[in-house]
Amino acid sequence: MRARWVVVNDRMQQGYRYALVAPIGRDFHADFRPDLTPAEMLALGVFGGKYMTDCRDEFPNSWFVGARLSSLRKDPSINCFGVDASQPLSVWRAKGWIHPEDPRGWFQWYCRYHQGRRMPGEDERQIARWKALRRHIAQLRRACEPGDCWCRPRQRQALLHWAYDSRSI
């Protein structure tokens, strides 16, 4: 596949360039098998609908058909489980979880990875972070009746933010 270049100009990045070197939605790392695509996550409701409102030009228009977005401010009622399960970006920065090339965090990395960007080292770091969230699935299975998708809604919303679909647990 011939690389295709993307230039980003939004509120958080100006003139950032990256290459898409893998087919969209394919050729993922063997240990990375998300339940949901970025488009599916946006349609279900994540991050209070505020996450992608100023960077839509970077991603396919199809991602935003049916996306639950808020143009004014974060609105947790838009989230799939109707609760806020996010920490402020300042917390993520303080903990060193933000990579300079993805200033919005894990979901931005995932959107770009899904589109075909590959960053050796950073991809493995983010995939390891994603895998660490599996502990929450085990906690849901221990605490909730099968099929009760409203048991622990905040934990379920947090899992959704990481492309895990807990609705069937």
Side-chain angles (χ1 to χ4, degrees):
M1 176 175 164
R2 203 173 99 201
R4 183 172 64 90
W5 288 90
V6 175
V7 178
V8 177
N9 288 298
D10 61 34
R11 277 189 277 194
M12 296 187 79
Q13 285 181 310
Q14 292 292 310
Y16 171 65
R17 288 177 30 130
Y18 64 90
L20 301 177
V21 297
I24 296 171
R26 297 194 0 236
D27 294 350
F28 286 9
H29 187 285
D31 291 340
F32 186 54
R33 293 176 304 282
D35 296 334
L36 300 164
T37 67
E40 291 169 329
M41 293 169 66
L42 291 168
L44 286 169
V46 288
F47 307 106
K50 193 59 186 147
Y51 194 92
M52 303 284 280
T53 56
D54 76 314
C55 58
R56 292 172 67 148
D57 291 344
E58 183 180 348
F59 303 105
N61 287 333
S62 62
W63 286 15
F64 301 97
V65 174
R68 299 171 83 178
L69 300 175
S70 173
S71 60
L72 300 175
R73 64 184 167 279
K74 182 169 99 172
D75 179 359
S77 71
I78 288 174
N79 286 341
C80 180
F81 294 98
V83 296
D84 189 4
S86 301
Q87 294 179 319
L89 190 56
S90 60
V91 170
W92 289 68
R93 287 181 181 133
K95 293 186 181 260
W97 292 337
I98 301 295
H99 187 275
E101 298 206 22
D102 297 319
R104 296 171 193 266
W106 185 88
F107 186 59
Q108 185 174 42
W109 168 85
Y110 176 42
C111 290
R112 291 171 172 175
Y113 186 87
H114 188 276
Q115 287 299 100
R117 183 187 71 175
R118 297 295 181 266
M119 295 176 60
E122 180 59 10
D123 293 345
E124 289 75 16
R125 182 183 81 93
Q126 294 289 16
I127 291 166
R129 293 178 66 221
W130 172 80
K131 287 170 61 176
L133 267 286
R134 289 183 188 161
R135 71 184 184 278
H136 291 282
I137 293 171
Q139 291 170 359
L140 286 176
R141 285 194 171 117
R142 281 194 305 270
C144 302
E145 293 293 321
D148 180 4
C149 68
W150 294 106
C151 174
R152 295 190 172 198
R154 192 163 188 262
Q155 194 168 28
R156 289 176 186 275
Q157 185 68 42
L159 282 165
L160 185 63
H161 290 178
W162 288 79
Y164 285 103
D165 189 354
S166 70
R167 295 173 297 166
S168 63
I169 296 173

